[in-house]
Amino acid sequence: MRIPKATHLAQPWRIHEFAEDFRIEDVWSFRAPDAGPDDFPVMVKALKTAYDIREEPAAVRFLFAVRWKLGGLLGWDSERAGVGGRVASLGDRLPPDLARTASDAVPCTDPFSEVYQLDNEAARELGNKTVHAIMHVGWVRTDEGGYELRMAALVKPNGRFGRFYMACILPFRYLIVYPVLTRQWERAWLDHGRPNRRGRAADPS
């Protein structure tokens, strides 16, 4: 579910210390039934375990195939255009103790790189010729007493071209990508997260 951008700023996340020059593009919440206060690492692992671009709906696979094809033809995703090339990694801004947490994060095959992971929040980044983007996820207690995942997309577009690119993909994000992501992330929790783990523990076989 899409939620106001102010909800991200209202939380005492560490990311606020290092990303003042990024704008908040989107903030979404994802349900995690039966989640507890210590289950953020479980949720993050569940998301990474479930990730498989081959399992995406056809519309999403098509959009990303077109995007990667254009990126390859136009040089948007070259090493020089990415993190460590055109843009410095957000990790370069972190104190050493926080930066070291990235090495302990569960690996994933998606295009993002780890920045840091704590017990209640994590940040990953992606850079190319269009934008430097941060995907921040955090663990928040709900009004009903449970917990949910919050995801904030923070971006720094690359000039006019980057702003034009972000405007062009906005309808696809809201109509296709985020609805699919919501279903997948909530399903990942049910299939690989704490409820599933409890079920296995109770199964005598």
Side-chain angles (χ1 to χ4, degrees), residues 1 5 22 29 61 158 177 203:
M1 180 177 67
K5 297 176 182 179
F22 288 75
S29 66
R61 294 200 308 272
N158 184 18
V177 176
D203 186 354

Side-chain angles (χ1 to χ4, degrees), residues 58-72:
V60 174
R61 294 200 308 272
F62 175 76
L63 286 175
F64 278 97
V66 171
R67 166 60 185 85
W68 300 132
K69 184 65 174 180
L70 284 174

Side-chain angles (χ1 to χ4, degrees), residues 17-168:
E17 303 171 29
F18 313 108
E20 292 182 350
D21 50 337
F22 288 75
R23 78 184 190 203
I24 304 173
E25 190 72 16
D26 301 303
V27 182
W28 288 69
S29 66
F30 302 87
R31 295 170 296 180
D34 300 323
D38 302 322
D39 282 336
F40 176 69
V42 179
M43 172 61 109
V44 172
K45 184 177 180 180
L47 299 182
K48 293 180 177 181
T49 299
Y51 175 79
D52 187 346
I53 189 63
R54 296 169 299 180
E55 299 298 324
E56 303 282 2
V60 174
R61 294 200 308 272
F62 175 76
L63 286 175
F64 278 97
V66 171
R67 166 60 185 85
W68 300 132
K69 184 65 174 180
L70 284 174
L73 291 173
L74 301 176
W76 292 353
D77 306 311
S78 67
E79 187 173 338
R80 292 180 59 186
V83 173
R86 184 184 69 81
V87 295
S89 171
L90 185 70
D92 294 343
R93 309 182 184 187
L94 307 182
D97 60 326
L98 188 58
R100 281 195 293 269
T101 64
S103 62
D104 298 326
V106 175
C108 188
T109 57
D110 68 9
F112 284 83
S113 301
E114 306 292 342
V115 177
Y116 68 86
Q117 181 173 328
L118 302 175
D119 291 337
N120 66 337
E121 67 170 300
R124 308 176 75 221
E125 66 181 344
L126 178 150
N128 53 48
K129 197 172 182 178
T130 65
V131 69
H132 185 189
I134 301 170
M135 180 174 64
H136 178 271
V137 290
W139 206 230
V140 178
R141 184 178 176 87
T142 66
D143 293 338
E144 294 75 26
Y147 284 81
E148 67 181 15
L149 187 75
R150 299 271 181 89
M151 186 279 290
L154 313 176
V155 302
K156 188 192 297 184
N158 184 18
R160 292 181 179 178
F161 172 64
R163 292 191 293 273
F164 174 74
Y165 172 82
M166 293 300 298
C168 287

